[in-house]
Amino acid sequence: MNRYLLIVSVAAMSAFAVGCSDDNTTTDGGTVFTPKDSGTTTTPDTGTTVTDAGGSDATTADGGVQCSNKPVGCFCGTPTTQAQFLNRCTTSTALPFTITFKAGTATDLP
Amino acid sequence: MRQLIQAGVLESPHETEILQEMSMRNAKALLASLAVATGGMLAAKSASAQTACPDNAVVIRGSSASEPLINAVAVLAKAQGIDIVYSSSGGSCLGVGSVIPTGTPPVLQTTGGGKTKFDAANQNATCNLATARAADIGASDVYSTSCSNIGAPATPATVLDYLGPVQAFVLAVYDDPSFPVVISDQAAFNIFGITARGGDASFAVSPWIVPADLLTRNETSGTQQTWARAAGLPIAKFSDPKNDQTGAGPLLAKINTSPRSSILGILALNDIVATGTPPVQPKVRPLAFKAKGQDFGYYTSSTSTASDMINVRDGHYSPWANIHFFTNKDATTGKASNANVQKVLDLIETQTAVTALAKARVVPQCAMQVSRTEDQGNFTAYKPAKPCGCFFEKEASGTAPASCTACTDDTACGSSGQCVYGFCEAK
């Protein structure tokens, strides 16, 4: 358990150095994106405390629209690409995946 | 009962309920017979004999994910004089095949042809169709093209593909605090594409390293179709048929009774339901999922215990699919050629239906913020004409988000807002 927490913590702290973009902070259809809370330390179903996935606590305000700046490296603007949708800033629990393994490809399929 | 589930005799938790119900009905029938034999005056109707389905019933067949919605819609339809009969046999692709000609003959049933959804007090009883017939509506978790394995073509111009609510699919584990909470697309690729198929052990992903513990459905299952795409695997390379379970119910039961970290199974989120009498919540929990190109893994909702489904709605949780309702199309109007079928489709996003969906952890289109046009395709922003996010969250969670404003009409919502199901939403 301690080792797991350590791995998660290290991954969270070292994962990304990219800050949020604040050039456009509306979501699709012009709906205001208003995070429900700013908490980041979460307790998943397992009861295990997972450390913060990074990002600052401050919100970015731009024209009255807010962005949570979480998790670290998230995208704050109006998403137009798949990567931007998947990595849009959110106050939802964000969990690093830390299990190490050798990645397979199509040629490795039996 | 549990033995029946484990043995695969019962296909789903719903069938468990049916068996319980039927057992109760049989007991009532026995009591009635005894009463008659002894000159008693019991006139209880024996429900053990299947009744005839209404002649003009709208028959729906396919994805079990659609059943909570159909239960709610059937009650509304009955008020309009429309009887709905439903059967989940065959799964998503055979739902497609009920309407779109494929290489597989459509399922035709008479005896036990469907569940009596038209009877609000007895929706899980079965009735007999007078003549063998295909469905009026084929329900599927996937687009018709995803069922090419049974010969389904793209949806022809003569068929309407009505996009219904969104169903989330999950990888589920036994609920033990020491087991992982998150998985990635690449891990799923290795697990189901290599380990489950007896491939090179050096690609194993701990703790999911035992092939027999990697539980799947079959190629006609919308759940399996979705997970194959989410993992980046061809459907034919997803797992080994010997690991296929006969339905979501047996798969859920197997995880629930296998307290080991190597167990991993594919399910729809709303397959994880309490079963038995009294209902007991299974020791099964969904994992967060990190998709290709994503930096972190996310649950379907904002936390592991929330029910807002926000990550499905805004595109942070990727393994989801619309429930499709396929039916024959009127070439002139573009609507269903059967007027009663169109009335049923029109009921799918009513307030009552949204409530039923929210409680079943299925997302109506009106609560979605993203859409896609192919299974596991890229997202685009989506703005429904009548957004219902606030009402959906209230029904799903018990309380609306603090950011939501209650209303009784549009005047409370300003020039850019509209009042939808009691809350201000964007126009």
Side-chain angles (χ1 to χ4, degrees):
Chain A
M1 181 68 74
N2 288 338
R3 188 178 63 168
Y4 173 71
L5 284 174
L6 177 62
I7 291 171
V8 170
S9 301
V10 170
M13 287 186 288
S14 61
F16 302 97
V18 181
C20 274
S21 162
D22 62 357
D23 55 342
N24 187 339
T25 53
T26 57
T27 56
D28 45 89
T31 304
V32 175
F33 178 55
T34 307
K36 297 187 187 66
D37 59 69
S38 59
T40 51
T41 300
T42 61
T43 304
D45 287 337
T46 61
T48 304
T49 297
V50 175
T51 56
D52 192 342
S56 71
D57 286 330
T59 57
T60 299
D62 181 6
V65 180
Q66 293 184 313
C67 175
S68 69
N69 286 339
K70 290 179 176 295
V72 67
C74 66
F75 177 75
C76 283
T78 300
T80 56
T81 68
Q82 185 71 353
Q84 290 169 350
F85 276 108
L86 292 170
N87 297 299
R88 187 160 33 159
C89 297
T90 177
T91 55
S92 292
T93 300
L95 299 168
F97 179 69
T98 58
I99 296 173
T100 56
F101 60 95
K102 184 169 72 171
T105 66
T107 59
D108 300 313
L109 296 172
Chain B
M1 187 73 70
R2 175 171 292 180
Q3 289 168 333
L4 288 174
I5 293 173
Q6 288 172 324
V9 174
L10 298 182
E11 187 172 330
S12 70
H14 300 300
E15 294 190 14
T16 306
E17 295 166 11
I18 295 168
L19 186 64
Q20 290 163 348
E21 193 172 20
M22 291 179 69
S23 297
M24 187 173 293
R25 295 204 321 268
N26 287 336
K28 287 179 181 175
L30 177 60
L31 286 173
S33 300
L34 288 172
V36 170
T38 57
M41 295 301 291
L42 272 177
K45 182 175 70 176
S46 170
S48 61
Q50 286 181 346
T51 56
C53 301
D55 289 339
N56 61 347
V58 170
V59 177
I60 305 175
R61 185 182 309 286
S63 165
S64 58
S66 63
E67 188 160 3
L69 171 63
I70 290 170
N71 287 343
V73 166
V75 175
L76 302 175
K78 183 67 176 177
Q80 297 188 16
I82 301 169
D83 294 313
I84 291 179
V85 170
Y86 166 73
S87 170
S88 64
S89 65
S92 285
C93 284
L94 292 182
V96 171
S98 294
V99 176
I100 299 175
T102 70
T104 302
V107 177
L108 303 174
Q109 279 185 283
T110 50
T111 302
K115 297 180 185 177
T116 55
K117 298 303 182 187
F118 56 86
D119 183 353
N122 205 19
Q123 288 192 307
N124 287 330
T126 54
C127 60
N128 297 329
L129 294 161
T131 57
R133 55 184 283 196
D136 298 300
I137 300 175
S140 169
D141 300 334
V142 293
Y143 282 86
S144 62
T145 48
S146 291
C147 295
S148 58
N149 55 311
I150 64 161
T155 305
T158 54
V159 172
L160 173 66
D161 178 0
Y162 179 92
L163 278 186
V166 164
Q167 168 81 350
F169 298 95
V170 296
L171 293 176
V173 299
Y174 183 84
D175 187 9
D176 183 295
S178 66
F179 297 167
V181 296
V182 59
I183 195 167
S184 72
D185 67 304
Q186 179 66 65
F189 179 98
N190 281 30
I191 292 164
F192 290 104
I194 301 176
T195 302
R197 302 177 66 240
D200 186 341
S202 70
F203 290 100
V205 182
S206 182
W208 302 293
I209 59 176
V210 181
D213 280 352
L214 306 173
L215 309 177
T216 48
R217 295 283 303 280
N218 60 63
E219 289 188 17
T220 69
S221 156
T223 305
Q224 188 142 323
Q225 290 276 353
T226 299
W227 273 115
R229 283 170 175 74
L233 285 163
I235 187 66
K237 299 281 188 180
F238 189 87
S239 192
D240 186 314
K242 69 175 180 288
N243 291 341
D244 290 352
Q245 308 298 298
T246 54
L251 196 154
L252 179 73
K254 193 160 185 177
I255 298 175
N256 188 38
T257 53
S258 305
R260 51 185 182 270
S261 62
S262 54
I263 281 281
L264 181 70
I266 60 170
L267 287 168
L269 180 64
N270 74 347
D271 287 330
I272 305 176
V273 294
T275 57
T277 307
V280 176
Q281 193 65 28
K283 292 276 289 180
V284 176
R285 63 172 163 83
L287 296 174
F289 182 70
K290 184 176 91 65
K292 181 180 181 182
Q294 197 166 29
D295 296 332
F296 294 93
Y298 293 90
Y299 295 109
T300 53
S301 290
S302 53
T303 69
S304 62
T305 55
S307 51
D308 52 35
M309 301 295 285
I310 189 63
N311 292 329
V312 171
R313 294 161 57 204
D314 72 8
H316 280 94
Y317 187 88
S318 178
W320 59 256
N322 288 96
I323 300 173
H324 300 248
F325 296 98
F326 294 98
T327 190
N328 291 318
K329 183 165 67 178
D330 183 295
T332 304
T333 65
K335 295 189 171 185
S337 56
N338 180 322
N340 280 351
V341 167
Q342 185 59 48
K343 287 179 182 175
V344 170
L345 297 180
D346 289 340
L347 293 170
I348 285 176
E349 295 241 327
T350 55
Q351 189 168 4
T352 301
V354 170
T355 296
L357 292 169
K359 297 188 184 310
R361 293 177 292 177
V362 178
V363 184
Q365 285 280 72
C366 61
M368 289 296 290
Q369 299 171 18
V370 295
S371 64
R372 51 173 38 136
T373 57
E374 61 180 307
D375 292 316
Q376 292 303 294
N378 287 345
F379 296 131
T380 55
Y382 176 70
K383 184 181 182 310
K386 282 181 62 178
C388 67
C390 287
F391 179 72
F392 173 81
E393 287 201 37
K394 174 181 174 288
E395 295 301 295
S397 307
T399 55
S403 58
C404 292
T405 302
C407 59
T408 55
D409 56 43
D410 290 352
T411 57
C413 304
S415 59
S416 61
Q418 60 179 322
C419 190
V420 181
Y421 301 153
F423 292 96
C424 289
E425 301 277 2
K427 271 184 182 172

